[in-house]
Amino acid sequence: MVVIINERQASEMLAAADSIYKLFAFAEGQEESHEARRAEWLSAQEESPFPRTLAGIVPQEKTGISESTQKEALPKKENREKSVFWKKFKKEISKMQKSLQEKIQKAIKANPRLHKGVYEKRAMIKGITIYGSSPNVDECESRFLIDLTEKIAELRAPGEGKPKKPKNTMLFSEWANIWFDQVFKPSVLPYTFNKELKQFQNHALPFFGGRKIREIAPLDCIQFFNGLKAKKIERTAESLYWKLSRIFNFAVESGLLDKSPMSTMKPIKHERENGKPLTKDEENALLAAIRGAKYEVAIVVALYTGLRPCEMETARMEGDFIVAQNRKQKNTQKTVFKKIPITPMLEPYRALIETTLPELTEKFSSCAYAKTFKDALPDHRLYDLRDTFATRCQECGVIEQAVQLFMGHVPRTLLGKVYTKFSDDFLLSEGKKVKY
């Protein structure tokens, strides 16, 4: 019987036979004689006009079969499967990067290796392993192509062959409104929400509002904050820094942006000035300057109760106390009120408070309130009235925990936060100490 094989198959069979011969020679201790015989055989093969042969394999010329006839007699399975693969994926592979195309072509053309009686074909492309193995060489090629077919999608470069995402056309103003309404508003008091929204609308919205959020660059943010610093409104700049950071970060988390344009900016910190209490002479001068003014009662109440400017519009008198909303509360929608006793210093103004405070708070103007004070004491801020009240309380011997309660501050200790609840009588007795 005549067996016709190709050059590659002959090489593999020779390699297998050589391994077997060498194993037996090693077992018999005749490695050197085996190597000598092998060298002699290889020399004879090079001088022969025929291809390398094995027992039972006849040179091509002796068979009388032409080379083209032999090719037709060879199995066509491997070539057919490769053709089917290219026909199916040629268009998809042609869209890939050229370097990736070349790696795939090289992997397909590579020959399997014989290892311990099993043919293996392996390729590593973009960190992805494509592998096929079988005792049969054609089956090994087939399994390799099957594995490559399953992983062709993984090999595709990012964005290649995939539908492009529609561009984000959301305006900054639209996204800011969503953040304020859905994220910020539920977590703060109505007063805080309106105050922060107004600040944002006055400063940030005119600068960023009409732009698409994806087109805002880090340089735009830097220029915006430089403009605020040039106007010497650093405190506003600090407040807007945190709001804009949260708006852009929320856009990143929601998939509108890959990166916040403020991610490389350093936090803006306003250097706060401590309040300066009024001297007793300045206190007397203030009372004389505002006598008869529309906002006299508001300034007197602030001086002797320590109410914040933003709390004055909520103030009212209940018996021996001035009650007002505590607007120091953060991240809560719960409304908290504080009670400050009417001290001996405030008692002379009780009648004025009863008659004018209710009407004043209904149509309260923060600007007019601040202007009345500034006209009387140009070197002080309205907030200095809080420092004055806190200072006078401690000078007169009011205990610290009571002063904290009057000022609307959270006690520092667990005892003060959770367990201590002062009675009205106690607070009134502490208030009576404020006399100078």
Side-chain angles (χ1 to χ4, degrees), residues 301 304-305 316-323 339-351 353-354 389 406 424 427-434:
V301 169
Y304 295 128
T305 63
R316 64 182 186 275
M317 189 172 74
E318 291 185 1
D320 293 329
F321 290 90
I322 298 295
V323 179
K339 299 170 68 175
I340 305 97
I342 296 178
T343 66
M345 301 302 296
L346 187 58
E347 185 64 37
Y349 298 91
R350 182 187 283 267
I353 295 171
E354 288 178 343
F389 176 68
F406 297 160
D424 288 354
L427 295 178
L428 285 171
S429 65
E430 289 298 307
K432 288 178 180 179
K433 295 179 182 179
V434 184

PDB file of all heavy atoms in Angstrom, residues 301 304-305 316-323 339-351 353-354 389 406 424 427-434:
ATOM      1  N   VAL A 301     -33.139  94.072  69.643  1.00  0.00           N
ATOM      2  CA  VAL A 301     -33.356  92.647  69.920  1.00  0.00           C
ATOM      3  C   VAL A 301     -32.093  91.849  69.618  1.00  0.00           C
ATOM      4  O   VAL A 301     -31.694  90.969  70.388  1.00  0.00           O
ATOM      5  CB  VAL A 301     -34.555  92.113  69.109  1.00  0.00           C
ATOM      6  CG1 VAL A 301     -34.615  90.592  69.168  1.00  0.00           C
ATOM      7  CG2 VAL A 301     -35.864  92.712  69.632  1.00  0.00           C
ATOM      8  N   TYR A 304     -29.398  92.297  72.364  1.00  0.00           N
ATOM      9  CA  TYR A 304     -29.637  91.694  73.678  1.00  0.00           C
ATOM     10  C   TYR A 304     -30.154  90.244  73.618  1.00  0.00           C
ATOM     11  O   TYR A 304     -30.550  89.697  74.647  1.00  0.00           O
ATOM     12  CB  TYR A 304     -30.621  92.561  74.458  1.00  0.00           C
ATOM     13  CG  TYR A 304     -30.061  93.941  74.778  1.00  0.00           C
ATOM     14  CD1 TYR A 304     -30.765  95.100  74.478  1.00  0.00           C
ATOM     15  CD2 TYR A 304     -28.799  94.065  75.375  1.00  0.00           C
ATOM     16  CE1 TYR A 304     -30.241  96.355  74.768  1.00  0.00           C
ATOM     17  CE2 TYR A 304     -28.275  95.317  75.671  1.00  0.00           C
ATOM     18  CZ  TYR A 304     -28.989  96.454  75.360  1.00  0.00           C
ATOM     19  OH  TYR A 304     -28.468  97.697  75.647  1.00  0.00           O
ATOM     20  N   THR A 305     -30.137  89.656  72.418  1.00  0.00           N
ATOM     21  CA  THR A 305     -30.498  88.227  72.306  1.00  0.00           C
ATOM     22  C   THR A 305     -29.487  87.440  71.472  1.00  0.00           C
ATOM     23  O   THR A 305     -29.486  86.213  71.520  1.00  0.00           O
ATOM     24  CB  THR A 305     -31.886  88.036  71.662  1.00  0.00           C
ATOM     25  OG1 THR A 305     -31.859  88.535  70.313  1.00  0.00           O
ATOM     26  CG2 THR A 305     -32.971  88.738  72.471  1.00  0.00           C
ATOM     27  N   ARG A 316     -40.231  86.553  67.421  1.00  0.00           N
ATOM     28  CA  ARG A 316     -41.497  86.970  68.031  1.00  0.00           C
ATOM     29  C   ARG A 316     -41.341  86.894  69.559  1.00  0.00           C
ATOM     30  O   ARG A 316     -40.445  86.205  70.053  1.00  0.00           O
ATOM     31  CB  ARG A 316     -42.653  86.082  67.573  1.00  0.00           C
ATOM     32  CG  ARG A 316     -42.536  84.629  68.001  1.00  0.00           C
ATOM     33  CD  ARG A 316     -43.694  83.789  67.465  1.00  0.00           C
ATOM     34  NE  ARG A 316     -43.676  82.429  67.971  1.00  0.00           N
ATOM     35  CZ  ARG A 316     -42.977  81.439  67.434  1.00  0.00           C
ATOM     36  NH1 ARG A 316     -42.231  81.666  66.350  1.00  0.00           N
ATOM     37  NH2 ARG A 316     -43.037  80.228  67.951  1.00  0.00           N
ATOM     38  N   MET A 317     -42.226  87.576  70.266  1.00  0.00           N
ATOM     39  CA  MET A 317     -42.154  87.558  71.731  1.00  0.00           C
ATOM     40  C   MET A 317     -43.231  86.634  72.273  1.00  0.00           C
ATOM     41  O   MET A 317     -44.407  86.717  71.879  1.00  0.00           O
ATOM     42  CB  MET A 317     -42.329  88.972  72.294  1.00  0.00           C
ATOM     43  CG  MET A 317     -42.052  89.063  73.805  1.00  0.00           C
ATOM     44  SD  MET A 317     -42.028  90.759  74.434  1.00  0.00           S
ATOM     45  CE  MET A 317     -43.773  91.142  74.397  1.00  0.00           C
ATOM     46  N   GLU A 318     -42.805  85.710  73.166  1.00  0.00           N
ATOM     47  CA  GLU A 318     -43.736  84.803  73.836  1.00  0.00           C
ATOM     48  C   GLU A 318     -43.498  84.891  75.339  1.00  0.00           C
ATOM     49  O   GLU A 318     -42.515  84.327  75.842  1.00  0.00           O
ATOM     50  CB  GLU A 318     -43.547  83.362  73.349  1.00  0.00           C
ATOM     51  CG  GLU A 318     -43.979  83.121  71.916  1.00  0.00           C
ATOM     52  CD  GLU A 318     -43.886  81.655  71.528  1.00  0.00           C
ATOM     53  OE1 GLU A 318     -43.495  80.820  72.380  1.00  0.00           O
ATOM     54  OE2 GLU A 318     -44.188  81.330  70.353  1.00  0.00           O
ATOM     55  N   GLY A 319     -44.346  85.646  76.035  1.00  0.00           N
ATOM     56  CA  GLY A 319     -44.174  85.805  77.478  1.00  0.00           C
ATOM     57  C   GLY A 319     -42.875  86.516  77.802  1.00  0.00           C
ATOM     58  O   GLY A 319     -42.651  87.653  77.379  1.00  0.00           O
ATOM     59  N   ASP A 320     -42.009  85.837  78.546  1.00  0.00           N
ATOM     60  CA  ASP A 320     -40.734  86.432  78.937  1.00  0.00           C
ATOM     61  C   ASP A 320     -39.580  86.002  78.039  1.00  0.00           C
ATOM     62  O   ASP A 320     -38.415  86.137  78.413  1.00  0.00           O
ATOM     63  CB  ASP A 320     -40.424  86.047  80.392  1.00  0.00           C
ATOM     64  CG  ASP A 320     -41.403  86.673  81.375  1.00  0.00           C
ATOM     65  OD1 ASP A 320     -41.897  87.784  81.080  1.00  0.00           O
ATOM     66  OD2 ASP A 320     -41.699  86.049  82.416  1.00  0.00           O
ATOM     67  N   PHE A 321     -39.910  85.483  76.877  1.00  0.00           N
ATOM     68  CA  PHE A 321     -38.859  84.994  75.962  1.00  0.00           C
ATOM     69  C   PHE A 321     -39.011  85.608  74.565  1.00  0.00           C
ATOM     70  O   PHE A 321     -40.123  85.963  74.135  1.00  0.00           O
ATOM     71  CB  PHE A 321     -38.935  83.468  75.811  1.00  0.00           C
ATOM     72  CG  PHE A 321     -38.531  82.701  77.024  1.00  0.00           C
ATOM     73  CD1 PHE A 321     -39.477  82.344  77.988  1.00  0.00           C
ATOM     74  CD2 PHE A 321     -37.203  82.356  77.231  1.00  0.00           C
ATOM     75  CE1 PHE A 321     -39.111  81.636  79.126  1.00  0.00           C
ATOM     76  CE2 PHE A 321     -36.827  81.643  78.367  1.00  0.00           C
ATOM     77  CZ  PHE A 321     -37.777  81.283  79.312  1.00  0.00           C
ATOM     78  N   ILE A 322     -37.884  85.725  73.898  1.00  0.00           N
ATOM     79  CA  ILE A 322     -37.861  85.997  72.462  1.00  0.00           C
ATOM     80  C   ILE A 322     -37.624  84.643  71.792  1.00  0.00           C
ATOM     81  O   ILE A 322     -36.635  83.957  72.080  1.00  0.00           O
ATOM     82  CB  ILE A 322     -36.746  86.984  72.068  1.00  0.00           C
ATOM     83  CG1 ILE A 322     -36.966  88.336  72.741  1.00  0.00           C
ATOM     84  CG2 ILE A 322     -36.658  87.126  70.553  1.00  0.00           C
ATOM     85  CD1 ILE A 322     -38.223  89.056  72.289  1.00  0.00           C
ATOM     86  N   VAL A 323     -38.528  84.258  70.908  1.00  0.00           N
ATOM     87  CA  VAL A 323     -38.438  82.960  70.217  1.00  0.00           C
ATOM     88  C   VAL A 323     -38.144  83.214  68.743  1.00  0.00           C
ATOM     89  O   VAL A 323     -38.752  84.097  68.120  1.00  0.00           O
ATOM     90  CB  VAL A 323     -39.743  82.156  70.371  1.00  0.00           C
ATOM     91  CG1 VAL A 323     -39.643  80.819  69.627  1.00  0.00           C
ATOM     92  CG2 VAL A 323     -40.050  81.924  71.840  1.00  0.00           C
ATOM     93  N   LYS A 339     -35.096  79.747  72.363  1.00  0.00           N
ATOM     94  CA  LYS A 339     -35.730  80.699  73.278  1.00  0.00           C
ATOM     95  C   LYS A 339     -34.652  81.449  74.055  1.00  0.00           C
ATOM     96  O   LYS A 339     -33.787  80.829  74.663  1.00  0.00           O
ATOM     97  CB  LYS A 339     -36.648  79.955  74.256  1.00  0.00           C
ATOM     98  CG  LYS A 339     -37.765  79.202  73.580  1.00  0.00           C
ATOM     99  CD  LYS A 339     -38.495  78.291  74.556  1.00  0.00           C
ATOM    100  CE  LYS A 339     -39.266  79.076  75.573  1.00  0.00           C
ATOM    101  NZ  LYS A 339     -40.078  78.208  76.460  1.00  0.00           N
ATOM    102  N   ILE A 340     -34.737  82.769  73.989  1.00  0.00           N
ATOM    103  CA  ILE A 340     -33.789  83.593  74.733  1.00  0.00           C
ATOM    104  C   ILE A 340     -34.597  84.452  75.718  1.00  0.00           C
ATOM    105  O   ILE A 340     -35.541  85.146  75.315  1.00  0.00           O
ATOM    106  CB  ILE A 340     -32.973  84.511  73.798  1.00  0.00           C
ATOM    107  CG1 ILE A 340     -32.266  83.679  72.719  1.00  0.00           C
ATOM    108  CG2 ILE A 340     -31.941  85.305  74.591  1.00  0.00           C
ATOM    109  CD1 ILE A 340     -32.977  83.609  71.407  1.00  0.00           C
ATOM    110  N   PRO A 341     -34.260  84.393  76.984  1.00  0.00           N
ATOM    111  CA  PRO A 341     -35.034  85.167  77.973  1.00  0.00           C
ATOM    112  C   PRO A 341     -34.869  86.677  77.771  1.00  0.00           C
ATOM    113  O   PRO A 341     -33.837  87.143  77.300  1.00  0.00           O
ATOM    114  CB  PRO A 341     -34.446  84.715  79.310  1.00  0.00           C
ATOM    115  CG  PRO A 341     -33.083  84.204  78.989  1.00  0.00           C
ATOM    116  CD  PRO A 341     -33.166  83.620  77.616  1.00  0.00           C
ATOM    117  N   ILE A 342     -35.925  87.398  78.107  1.00  0.00           N
ATOM    118  CA  ILE A 342     -35.837  88.861  78.056  1.00  0.00           C
ATOM    119  C   ILE A 342     -35.039  89.311  79.277  1.00  0.00           C
ATOM    120  O   ILE A 342     -35.497  89.205  80.428  1.00  0.00           O
ATOM    121  CB  ILE A 342     -37.245  89.490  78.052  1.00  0.00           C
ATOM    122  CG1 ILE A 342     -37.989  89.084  76.772  1.00  0.00           C
ATOM    123  CG2 ILE A 342     -37.158  91.016  78.161  1.00  0.00           C
ATOM    124  CD1 ILE A 342     -39.411  89.602  76.688  1.00  0.00           C
ATOM    125  N   THR A 343     -33.832  89.755  79.049  1.00  0.00           N
ATOM    126  CA  THR A 343     -32.911  90.125  80.131  1.00  0.00           C
ATOM    127  C   THR A 343     -33.244  91.525  80.661  1.00  0.00           C
ATOM    128  O   THR A 343     -34.017  92.282  80.026  1.00  0.00           O
ATOM    129  CB  THR A 343     -31.464  90.113  79.597  1.00  0.00           C
ATOM    130  OG1 THR A 343     -31.328  91.154  78.614  1.00  0.00           O
ATOM    131  CG2 THR A 343     -31.120  88.776  78.957  1.00  0.00           C
ATOM    132  N   PRO A 344     -32.665  91.880  81.788  1.00  0.00           N
ATOM    133  CA  PRO A 344     -32.877  93.248  82.312  1.00  0.00           C
ATOM    134  C   PRO A 344     -32.476  94.322  81.319  1.00  0.00           C
ATOM    135  O   PRO A 344     -33.040  95.428  81.352  1.00  0.00           O
ATOM    136  CB  PRO A 344     -31.979  93.270  83.558  1.00  0.00           C
ATOM    137  CG  PRO A 344     -31.929  91.847  84.013  1.00  0.00           C
ATOM    138  CD  PRO A 344     -31.932  91.042  82.753  1.00  0.00           C
ATOM    139  N   MET A 345     -31.520  94.051  80.446  1.00  0.00           N
ATOM    140  CA  MET A 345     -31.086  95.041  79.457  1.00  0.00           C
ATOM    141  C   MET A 345     -32.144  95.216  78.369  1.00  0.00           C
ATOM    142  O   MET A 345     -32.277  96.302  77.786  1.00  0.00           O
ATOM    143  CB  MET A 345     -29.761  94.610  78.824  1.00  0.00           C
ATOM    144  CG  MET A 345     -28.629  94.431  79.813  1.00  0.00           C
ATOM    145  SD  MET A 345     -28.281  95.939  80.778  1.00  0.00           S
ATOM    146  CE  MET A 345     -27.761  97.065  79.526  1.00  0.00           C
ATOM    147  N   LEU A 346     -32.913  94.151  78.081  1.00  0.00           N
ATOM    148  CA  LEU A 346     -33.928  94.223  77.026  1.00  0.00           C
ATOM    149  C   LEU A 346     -35.304  94.631  77.573  1.00  0.00           C
ATOM    150  O   LEU A 346     -36.160  95.107  76.813  1.00  0.00           O
ATOM    151  CB  LEU A 346     -34.039  92.856  76.336  1.00  0.00           C
ATOM    152  CG  LEU A 346     -34.929  92.747  75.101  1.00  0.00           C
ATOM    153  CD1 LEU A 346     -34.485  93.734  74.012  1.00  0.00           C
ATOM    154  CD2 LEU A 346     -34.930  91.318  74.550  1.00  0.00           C
ATOM    155  N   GLU A 347     -35.498  94.470  78.864  1.00  0.00           N
ATOM    156  CA  GLU A 347     -36.809  94.739  79.482  1.00  0.00           C
ATOM    157  C   GLU A 347     -37.348  96.134  79.177  1.00  0.00           C
ATOM    158  O   GLU A 347     -38.564  96.292  78.897  1.00  0.00           O
ATOM    159  CB  GLU A 347     -36.700  94.539  80.993  1.00  0.00           C
ATOM    160  CG  GLU A 347     -38.010  94.678  81.739  1.00  0.00           C
ATOM    161  CD  GLU A 347     -39.020  93.614  81.338  1.00  0.00           C
ATOM    162  OE1 GLU A 347     -38.602  92.453  81.092  1.00  0.00           O
ATOM    163  OE2 GLU A 347     -40.231  93.933  81.253  1.00  0.00           O
ATOM    164  N   PRO A 348     -36.528  97.222  79.177  1.00  0.00           N
ATOM    165  CA  PRO A 348     -37.062  98.558  78.876  1.00  0.00           C
ATOM    166  C   PRO A 348     -37.684  98.668  77.492  1.00  0.00           C
ATOM    167  O   PRO A 348     -38.455  99.608  77.227  1.00  0.00           O
ATOM    168  CB  PRO A 348     -35.834  99.468  79.005  1.00  0.00           C
ATOM    169  CG  PRO A 348     -34.900  98.726  79.913  1.00  0.00           C
ATOM    170  CD  PRO A 348     -35.114  97.287  79.593  1.00  0.00           C
ATOM    171  N   TYR A 349     -37.384  97.739  76.608  1.00  0.00           N
ATOM    172  CA  TYR A 349     -37.880  97.802  75.223  1.00  0.00           C
ATOM    173  C   TYR A 349     -39.056  96.853  74.997  1.00  0.00           C
ATOM    174  O   TYR A 349     -39.473  96.647  73.864  1.00  0.00           O
ATOM    175  CB  TYR A 349     -36.759  97.463  74.232  1.00  0.00           C
ATOM    176  CG  TYR A 349     -35.595  98.430  74.268  1.00  0.00           C
ATOM    177  CD1 TYR A 349     -34.499  98.202  75.096  1.00  0.00           C
ATOM    178  CD2 TYR A 349     -35.603  99.582  73.485  1.00  0.00           C
ATOM    179  CE1 TYR A 349     -33.427  99.084  75.138  1.00  0.00           C
ATOM    180  CE2 TYR A 349     -34.544 100.466  73.520  1.00  0.00           C
ATOM    181  CZ  TYR A 349     -33.455 100.220  74.345  1.00  0.00           C
ATOM    182  OH  TYR A 349     -32.389 101.093  74.379  1.00  0.00           O
ATOM    183  N   ARG A 350     -39.616  96.268  76.069  1.00  0.00           N
ATOM    184  CA  ARG A 350     -40.695  95.294  75.922  1.00  0.00           C
ATOM    185  C   ARG A 350     -41.884  95.884  75.153  1.00  0.00           C
ATOM    186  O   ARG A 350     -42.447  95.239  74.246  1.00  0.00           O
ATOM    187  CB  ARG A 350     -41.138  94.795  77.287  1.00  0.00           C
ATOM    188  CG  ARG A 350     -42.228  93.736  77.217  1.00  0.00           C
ATOM    189  CD  ARG A 350     -42.725  93.416  78.634  1.00  0.00           C
ATOM    190  NE  ARG A 350     -41.804  92.559  79.342  1.00  0.00           N
ATOM    191  CZ  ARG A 350     -41.888  91.220  79.375  1.00  0.00           C
ATOM    192  NH1 ARG A 350     -42.852  90.613  78.693  1.00  0.00           N
ATOM    193  NH2 ARG A 350     -41.042  90.524  80.085  1.00  0.00           N
ATOM    194  N   ALA A 351     -42.300  97.082  75.538  1.00  0.00           N
ATOM    195  CA  ALA A 351     -43.467  97.702  74.880  1.00  0.00           C
ATOM    196  C   ALA A 351     -43.195  97.942  73.400  1.00  0.00           C
ATOM    197  O   ALA A 351     -44.068  97.712  72.546  1.00  0.00           O
ATOM    198  CB  ALA A 351     -43.813  99.020  75.581  1.00  0.00           C
ATOM    199  N   ILE A 353     -41.176  96.273  71.511  1.00  0.00           N
ATOM    200  CA  ILE A 353     -41.163  94.966  70.841  1.00  0.00           C
ATOM    201  C   ILE A 353     -42.585  94.482  70.579  1.00  0.00           C
ATOM    202  O   ILE A 353     -42.900  93.997  69.486  1.00  0.00           O
ATOM    203  CB  ILE A 353     -40.396  93.928  71.701  1.00  0.00           C
ATOM    204  CG1 ILE A 353     -38.920  94.317  71.805  1.00  0.00           C
ATOM    205  CG2 ILE A 353     -40.528  92.525  71.111  1.00  0.00           C
ATOM    206  CD1 ILE A 353     -38.136  93.492  72.803  1.00  0.00           C
ATOM    207  N   GLU A 354     -43.465  94.613  71.561  1.00  0.00           N
ATOM    208  CA  GLU A 354     -44.837  94.138  71.416  1.00  0.00           C
ATOM    209  C   GLU A 354     -45.582  94.869  70.306  1.00  0.00           C
ATOM    210  O   GLU A 354     -46.391  94.272  69.593  1.00  0.00           O
ATOM    211  CB  GLU A 354     -45.585  94.324  72.745  1.00  0.00           C
ATOM    212  CG  GLU A 354     -45.152  93.343  73.827  1.00  0.00           C
ATOM    213  CD  GLU A 354     -45.878  93.594  75.143  1.00  0.00           C
ATOM    214  OE1 GLU A 354     -46.444  94.700  75.297  1.00  0.00           O
ATOM    215  OE2 GLU A 354     -45.869  92.704  76.002  1.00  0.00           O
ATOM    216  N   PHE A 389     -23.373  90.109  72.527  1.00  0.00           N
ATOM    217  CA  PHE A 389     -24.287  89.451  73.459  1.00  0.00           C
ATOM    218  C   PHE A 389     -23.598  88.272  74.159  1.00  0.00           C
ATOM    219  O   PHE A 389     -23.707  88.110  75.379  1.00  0.00           O
ATOM    220  CB  PHE A 389     -25.531  88.966  72.712  1.00  0.00           C
ATOM    221  CG  PHE A 389     -26.485  88.198  73.578  1.00  0.00           C
ATOM    222  CD1 PHE A 389     -27.194  88.820  74.589  1.00  0.00           C
ATOM    223  CD2 PHE A 389     -26.668  86.831  73.387  1.00  0.00           C
ATOM    224  CE1 PHE A 389     -28.079  88.108  75.400  1.00  0.00           C
ATOM    225  CE2 PHE A 389     -27.543  86.115  74.195  1.00  0.00           C
ATOM    226  CZ  PHE A 389     -28.250  86.748  75.200  1.00  0.00           C
ATOM    227  N   PHE A 406     -28.658  79.891  74.145  1.00  0.00           N
ATOM    228  CA  PHE A 406     -29.140  81.191  73.666  1.00  0.00           C
ATOM    229  C   PHE A 406     -28.651  81.471  72.237  1.00  0.00           C
ATOM    230  O   PHE A 406     -29.400  81.996  71.405  1.00  0.00           O
ATOM    231  CB  PHE A 406     -28.654  82.321  74.581  1.00  0.00           C
ATOM    232  CG  PHE A 406     -29.161  82.240  75.996  1.00  0.00           C
ATOM    233  CD1 PHE A 406     -28.509  82.927  77.028  1.00  0.00           C
ATOM    234  CD2 PHE A 406     -30.287  81.483  76.315  1.00  0.00           C
ATOM    235  CE1 PHE A 406     -28.973  82.871  78.329  1.00  0.00           C
ATOM    236  CE2 PHE A 406     -30.750  81.412  77.624  1.00  0.00           C
ATOM    237  CZ  PHE A 406     -30.091  82.100  78.634  1.00  0.00           C
ATOM    238  N   ASP A 424     -37.521  76.424  81.758  1.00  0.00           N
ATOM    239  CA  ASP A 424     -37.694  77.848  81.480  1.00  0.00           C
ATOM    240  C   ASP A 424     -37.302  78.697  82.688  1.00  0.00           C
ATOM    241  O   ASP A 424     -36.724  79.785  82.543  1.00  0.00           O
ATOM    242  CB  ASP A 424     -39.151  78.136  81.096  1.00  0.00           C
ATOM    243  CG  ASP A 424     -39.496  77.609  79.703  1.00  0.00           C
ATOM    244  OD1 ASP A 424     -38.565  77.135  79.009  1.00  0.00           O
ATOM    245  OD2 ASP A 424     -40.684  77.663  79.322  1.00  0.00           O
ATOM    246  N   LEU A 427     -33.592  79.079  82.762  1.00  0.00           N
ATOM    247  CA  LEU A 427     -33.117  79.992  81.717  1.00  0.00           C
ATOM    248  C   LEU A 427     -33.431  81.447  82.088  1.00  0.00           C
ATOM    249  O   LEU A 427     -32.615  82.347  81.854  1.00  0.00           O
ATOM    250  CB  LEU A 427     -33.760  79.633  80.373  1.00  0.00           C
ATOM    251  CG  LEU A 427     -33.388  78.266  79.785  1.00  0.00           C
ATOM    252  CD1 LEU A 427     -34.139  78.017  78.488  1.00  0.00           C
ATOM    253  CD2 LEU A 427     -31.875  78.175  79.541  1.00  0.00           C
ATOM    254  N   LEU A 428     -34.593  81.673  82.670  1.00  0.00           N
ATOM    255  CA  LEU A 428     -34.936  83.035  83.092  1.00  0.00           C
ATOM    256  C   LEU A 428     -34.004  83.525  84.190  1.00  0.00           C
ATOM    257  O   LEU A 428     -33.587  84.696  84.204  1.00  0.00           O
ATOM    258  CB  LEU A 428     -36.391  83.079  83.577  1.00  0.00           C
ATOM    259  CG  LEU A 428     -37.474  83.023  82.492  1.00  0.00           C
ATOM    260  CD1 LEU A 428     -38.850  82.859  83.104  1.00  0.00           C
ATOM    261  CD2 LEU A 428     -37.407  84.271  81.619  1.00  0.00           C
ATOM    262  N   SER A 429     -33.673  82.606  85.117  1.00  0.00           N
ATOM    263  CA  SER A 429     -32.761  83.001  86.206  1.00  0.00           C
ATOM    264  C   SER A 429     -31.385  83.326  85.668  1.00  0.00           C
ATOM    265  O   SER A 429     -30.713  84.244  86.166  1.00  0.00           O
ATOM    266  CB  SER A 429     -32.676  81.876  87.239  1.00  0.00           C
ATOM    267  OG  SER A 429     -32.078  80.713  86.681  1.00  0.00           O
ATOM    268  N   GLU A 430     -30.932  82.597  84.631  1.00  0.00           N
ATOM    269  CA  GLU A 430     -29.637  82.896  84.024  1.00  0.00           C
ATOM    270  C   GLU A 430     -29.711  84.213  83.245  1.00  0.00           C
ATOM    271  O   GLU A 430     -28.758  85.001  83.235  1.00  0.00           O
ATOM    272  CB  GLU A 430     -29.227  81.759  83.080  1.00  0.00           C
ATOM    273  CG  GLU A 430     -28.828  80.467  83.785  1.00  0.00           C
ATOM    274  CD  GLU A 430     -27.610  80.656  84.676  1.00  0.00           C
ATOM    275  OE1 GLU A 430     -26.578  81.163  84.181  1.00  0.00           O
ATOM    276  OE2 GLU A 430     -27.698  80.327  85.875  1.00  0.00           O
ATOM    277  N   GLY A 431     -30.870  84.456  82.585  1.00  0.00           N
ATOM    278  CA  GLY A 431     -31.037  85.703  81.830  1.00  0.00           C
ATOM    279  C   GLY A 431     -31.001  86.929  82.699  1.00  0.00           C
ATOM    280  O   GLY A 431     -30.541  88.002  82.280  1.00  0.00           O
ATOM    281  N   LYS A 432     -31.484  86.791  83.934  1.00  0.00           N
ATOM    282  CA  LYS A 432     -31.499  87.940  84.849  1.00  0.00           C
ATOM    283  C   LYS A 432     -30.101  88.394  85.244  1.00  0.00           C
ATOM    284  O   LYS A 432     -29.919  89.512  85.755  1.00  0.00           O
ATOM    285  CB  LYS A 432     -32.308  87.589  86.106  1.00  0.00           C
ATOM    286  CG  LYS A 432     -33.806  87.504  85.840  1.00  0.00           C
ATOM    287  CD  LYS A 432     -34.569  87.108  87.084  1.00  0.00           C
ATOM    288  CE  LYS A 432     -36.065  87.019  86.793  1.00  0.00           C
ATOM    289  NZ  LYS A 432     -36.843  86.602  87.989  1.00  0.00           N
ATOM    290  N   LYS A 433     -29.119  87.531  85.012  1.00  0.00           N
ATOM    291  CA  LYS A 433     -27.723  87.901  85.354  1.00  0.00           C
ATOM    292  C   LYS A 433     -27.172  88.955  84.374  1.00  0.00           C
ATOM    293  O   LYS A 433     -26.196  89.639  84.694  1.00  0.00           O
ATOM    294  CB  LYS A 433     -26.834  86.656  85.300  1.00  0.00           C
ATOM    295  CG  LYS A 433     -27.167  85.598  86.335  1.00  0.00           C
ATOM    296  CD  LYS A 433     -26.242  84.397  86.181  1.00  0.00           C
ATOM    297  CE  LYS A 433     -26.566  83.289  87.179  1.00  0.00           C
ATOM    298  NZ  LYS A 433     -25.681  82.117  86.996  1.00  0.00           N
ATOM    299  N   VAL A 434     -27.780  89.025  83.166  1.00  0.00           N
ATOM    300  CA  VAL A 434     -27.250  89.927  82.139  1.00  0.00           C
ATOM    301  C   VAL A 434     -27.720  91.345  82.443  1.00  0.00           C
ATOM    302  O   VAL A 434     -28.745  91.835  81.930  1.00  0.00           O
ATOM    303  CB  VAL A 434     -27.683  89.491  80.720  1.00  0.00           C
ATOM    304  CG1 VAL A 434     -27.035  90.371  79.678  1.00  0.00           C
ATOM    305  CG2 VAL A 434     -27.351  88.033  80.488  1.00  0.00           C
TER     306      VAL A 434
END
